[in-house]
Amino acid sequence: MELVLATGNRDKQREMKAFLQDLRVTIRTLDEFPAAPVVVEDGETCWSNAGKKAREIARFTGLLTLADDTGLEVDALGGRPGVYAARYAGAHASYEDNCRKLLDELTGVPADQRGARFLTVVAISDSSSSVEFVEGVLQGRIADRCSGMHGFGYDPVFIIPELGKTLAELTLDQKNQISHRGQALAKAKDVLKRILGRNIGA
C-alpha cells in the first residue's frame, strides 16, 4: 500500500517518515509527483487547510494521502500568529524571519505572560475524498531568544517548561515523543493501521 505525504516541506517529511517508518506502507512524497497541484492554504483553521491538502492530493494521485497543518497560538498576542504561523513575517518568510518577528512583538513581555501552544491537525484522505482528522496540542511558552540547533520553524523559541529546553534543543526522537506533530501522527498511525487492516482483510 502507498501513502503520499502532502507536504513539500522537507523538514516535515523527515519527521513524518521517522514516525511512520514501521508501517507496512510505501511512503511517497510530493517530489515524486511534479505535476501535482499547488494547494492554496486559504482556510481559516488548521482543519480546513489540512483537509483541503489531503483531499486534493488524494484525488490527483489516486492514493491514500496524509496532510497536516500547524498553528502557533501565543497568549500575549491574542492567539496570533495562529494558522498563519508559517507565513507570519510574509509569504516567503524564512524560519528565522518568523522567529525574529515573534520575538520582536514580545519584547518586554515577562516570562509568565508568554504562554503559547502548538496545534497540529492531520488529515487522511483517499481518492473518494473521505477524510479523517486527528490533532495534537503542545503547551509551552515563548523564549526571549533562539536556542538550539535541531528542529525547524519556531522550535528554537518554543520552550517546554517541564524540560527547561526549547524544541530545538531536543533530538528528533525526543521531539517526536512529546510534540504536537508527534501526538497527531501517533493518532494518525492508528487510523492508518485500521485502514491497512481493512484493505488486507479485503
Side-chain angles (χ1 to χ4, degrees):
M1 191 170 181
E2 295 178 300
L3 173 69
V4 181
L5 304 181
T7 178
N9 184 312
R10 301 290 175 82
D11 294 312
K12 282 189 179 183
Q13 290 175 8
R14 183 168 54 90
E15 285 191 0
M16 290 175 174
K17 285 180 176 179
F19 214 95
L20 303 173
Q21 63 183 344
D22 60 331
L23 289 178
R24 290 177 294 174
V25 295
T26 298
I27 296 177
R28 305 185 66 180
T29 67
L30 285 182
D31 304 330
E32 300 175 60
F33 301 93
V38 176
V39 182
V40 179
E41 297 180 44
D42 53 3
E44 293 296 318
T45 67
C46 291
W47 285 268
S48 58
N49 283 333
K52 183 179 182 182
K53 287 187 285 187
R55 287 188 189 95
E56 291 196 17
I57 298 303
R59 279 199 295 264
F60 175 81
T61 62
L63 300 172
L64 190 66
T65 298
L66 182 150
D68 86 306
D69 196 44
T70 295
L72 173 64
E73 301 171 351
V74 180
D75 295 339
L77 300 179
R80 287 186 290 115
V83 72
Y84 304 105
R87 50 195 185 276
Y88 195 41
H92 304 290
S94 66
Y95 297 149
E96 293 77 12
D97 293 336
N98 286 328
C99 286
R100 190 179 307 111
K101 178 175 181 178
L102 181 63
L103 293 178
D104 286 347
E105 290 195 333
L106 291 175
T107 298
V109 177
D112 62 355
Q113 295 177 30
R114 299 169 78 99
R117 67 203 53 81
F118 271 122
L119 165 69
T120 288
V121 175
V122 168
I124 299 169
S125 179
D126 58 24
S127 57
S128 71
S129 295
S130 173
V131 184
E132 291 195 52
F133 293 92
V134 292
E135 67 174 68
V137 177
L138 181 64
Q139 301 285 346
R141 63 180 174 84
I142 304 301
D144 56 10
R145 65 182 184 278
C146 293
S147 182
M149 301 297 293
H150 305 293
F152 61 96
Y154 294 93
D155 288 357
V157 298
F158 193 91
I159 293 176
I160 309 302
E162 297 83 358
L163 302 178
K165 295 180 178 181
T166 68
L167 285 173
E169 293 178 295
L170 305 180
T171 66
L172 178 58
D173 286 343
Q174 290 172 327
K175 179 184 174 182
N176 277 345
Q177 288 175 16
I178 65 167
S179 76
H180 46 294
R181 187 170 294 107
Q183 294 175 43
L185 287 172
K187 296 174 185 176
K189 186 185 286 190
D190 289 337
V191 173
L192 291 169
K193 286 178 179 177
R194 173 161 41 82
I195 294 172
L196 281 168
R198 190 164 65 225
N199 279 277
I200 291 171

